[in-house]
Amino acid sequence: MHAFALSRFLFWFVIFFLIALASRPWIEDLFIRYQAEPREIMARGELAADEQTTIAIFESVSPSVVYITTSGRVMDLLSRNLLEVPRGTGSGFMWDRHGHVVTNYHVVADVQAAYVRLSNQRVYEAALVGVSPEHDIAVLRIDSGAGGPPPVAIGSSHDLKVGQKVLAIGNPFGLDYSLTGGVISALDRTIPSDEGRKIEHLIQTDAAINPGNSGGPLIDSAGRVIGMNTAIFSPSGNFAGIGFAVPVDTINRVVPRLIAYGRYVRPTLGIVTDRDLSRSLLERVGVAGVLVLRVQDGSPAARAGLRAAVIGSDGELAAADIIVGVDGREVDSVERLVELLDAYRVGDKVILRVYRDGQPIEVDVVLG
């Protein structure tokens, strides 16, 4: 009987041992769960200096950045009623205390209505003040009153260097007030617009720019706006490391004219020329420049004494003024002359280098 009891004991011991062995993971898991508590938080210390700068810039500039939505009108084929439908979104920034908002032309092109949402979530219907498609710049105006957001701080772009740190604030894919960072990758880029025009002197950056960022500010490490995000280069249509911004020097030249005149007014010399005819005649003379075919009466060119071309009966140039430079910069085509003059304001004085009677001379002209 004693042997039977011992064997019975051993049998049940083995059974309980196997059950305990099989239950060990479950028991350990139960014990771990019972002991689970929040971890002790380690103090991080002060933020790095560049992080503090980035945060301060975002908190300072973001209230002046706006979210723009646009709509168009379509006709319901059944009811023949006009319906307002969403067209797209973009970004912009406050230009002054009068409610002017600067954004890209392509954000508001061919739309019937635009709405501006501020950082306090108030929404205003915007009026279109003026556009300059060749610069991809547009100006809107909202009636935000005296308590509206402050205008952005304006910097300069003529002294930018490749490698400078930049920040971009905008509303990519409708995700409002997003911040991205990068550096200036290149300067003086030229890209085609959606309408086939060339947009020149752009800043290239690797700061992430996506659809919806258009019109938002590109900011330097001092918190100043140095450009306006305008386009990306990407096979997929999304960010691929190459973005472009209109330089602030261009914006600061164009926007006041849009506010004043509703359109971009270029400074002019008051001459008439022709690209193809100019090239054809100048090839015979062996001079590269812009041939002055006619001088308009009372124009800046007339007051400066520029002379119109005289073409003989044999089709050869008998006399001509040929513009070959502006303020020390070479002019070899009509397009180059227009590009150089575009950097000036009405009323600025420039020094033209003119080829006359086989000799180069300099002529002072006040642009009209």
Side-chain angles (χ1 to χ4, degrees):
M1 190 67 181
H2 180 70
F4 175 76
L6 181 61
S7 61
R8 187 177 181 183
F9 171 77
L10 292 175
F11 171 78
W12 285 110
F13 176 80
V14 171
I15 294 297
F16 282 118
F17 177 79
L18 293 175
I19 292 174
L21 189 64
S23 304
R24 180 182 174 185
W26 179 80
I27 295 173
E28 289 180 347
D29 185 56
L30 183 64
F31 178 77
I32 291 172
R33 292 186 183 184
Y34 179 75
Q35 294 292 326
E37 292 182 353
R39 290 287 306 277
E40 180 182 355
I41 298 174
M42 179 182 293
R44 80 169 311 280
E46 293 292 330
L47 293 171
D50 62 333
E51 291 178 304
Q52 294 183 39
T53 299
T54 299
I55 293 170
I57 290 173
F58 177 77
E59 292 177 347
S60 172
V61 178
S62 61
S64 302
V65 180
V66 303
Y67 179 38
I68 299 174
T69 58
T70 59
S71 63
R73 293 188 179 94
V74 297
M75 180 176 289
D76 188 310
L77 296 179
L78 296 178
S79 65
R80 310 294 291 178
N81 292 329
L82 287 176
L83 305 176
E84 189 168 295
V85 296
R87 287 290 301 272
T89 63
S91 306
F93 54 89
M94 299 303 302
W95 179 257
D96 55 26
R97 291 286 186 179
H98 303 295
H100 289 111
V101 175
V102 176
T103 186
N104 283 139
Y105 165 71
H106 73 261
V107 170
V108 297
D110 302 322
V111 303
Q112 274 68 50
Y115 301 92
V116 171
R117 189 174 78 198
L118 306 181
S119 58
N120 60 10
Q121 303 306 308
R122 296 191 65 177
V123 179
Y124 298 87
E125 185 171 2
L128 182 63
V129 175
V131 300
S132 177
E134 57 265 44
H135 301 103
D136 199 16
I137 297 174
V139 177
L140 307 174
R141 187 175 184 183
I142 59 173
D143 186 14
S144 56
V152 295
I154 297 297
S156 60
S157 52
H158 67 273
D159 53 355
L160 295 177
K161 302 293 184 182
V162 173
Q164 280 186 235
K165 290 184 178 180
V166 290
L167 302 172
I169 301 178
N171 307 285
F173 304 108
L175 302 172
D176 55 353
Y177 299 96
S178 296
L179 173 70
T180 57
V183 298
I184 295 175
S185 305
L187 297 167
D188 204 21
R189 294 298 199 201
T190 299
I191 64 171
S193 68
D194 293 338
E195 298 179 348
R197 298 184 178 91
K198 286 184 178 181
I199 307 176
E200 300 176 322
H201 310 303
L202 298 181
I203 302 167
Q204 181 184 325
T205 178
D206 67 348
I209 298 173
N210 284 293
N213 270 114
S214 293
L218 188 68
I219 308 158
D220 68 6
S221 56
R224 308 175 308 160
V225 173
I226 58 168
M228 176 172 60
N229 305 316
T230 189
I232 57 175
F233 183 81
S234 170
S236 65
N238 295 330
F239 176 67
I242 299 178
F244 300 98
V246 179
V248 74
D249 288 355
T250 301
I251 298 170
N252 211 8
R253 185 178 71 250
V254 172
V255 167
R257 300 185 200 177
L258 296 183
I259 294 174
Y261 307 114
R263 59 189 178 89
Y264 179 64
V265 179
R266 290 182 180 273
T268 62
L269 293 172
I271 64 172
V272 175
T273 187
D274 181 270
R275 179 181 57 188
D276 296 331
L277 182 58
S278 179
R279 183 185 299 117
S280 174
L281 292 174
L282 293 183
E283 282 178 354
R284 306 176 194 177
V285 180
V287 177
V290 173
L291 179 64
V292 180
L293 293 176
R294 186 163 64 87
V295 177
Q296 296 173 342
D297 293 338
S299 67
R303 290 191 293 271
L306 285 184
R307 302 175 184 175
V310 178
I311 302 176
S313 57
D314 57 356
E316 297 294 329
L317 278 176
D321 271 1
I322 305 167
I323 301 173
V324 296
V326 176
D327 281 346
R329 286 167 290 183
E330 183 181 347
V331 171
D332 57 3
S333 65
V334 174
E335 291 80 6
R336 177 61 174 166
L337 177 61
V338 172
E339 176 189 336
L340 290 177
L341 293 180
D342 192 46
Y344 295 90
R345 301 174 185 269
V346 174
D348 286 349
K349 184 175 77 171
V350 298
I351 300 175
L352 298 182
R353 188 171 177 81
V354 177
Y355 193 77
R356 176 185 292 173
D357 299 330
Q359 297 294 327
I361 63 172
E362 291 186 346
V363 179
D364 293 348
V365 181
V366 177
L367 299 176

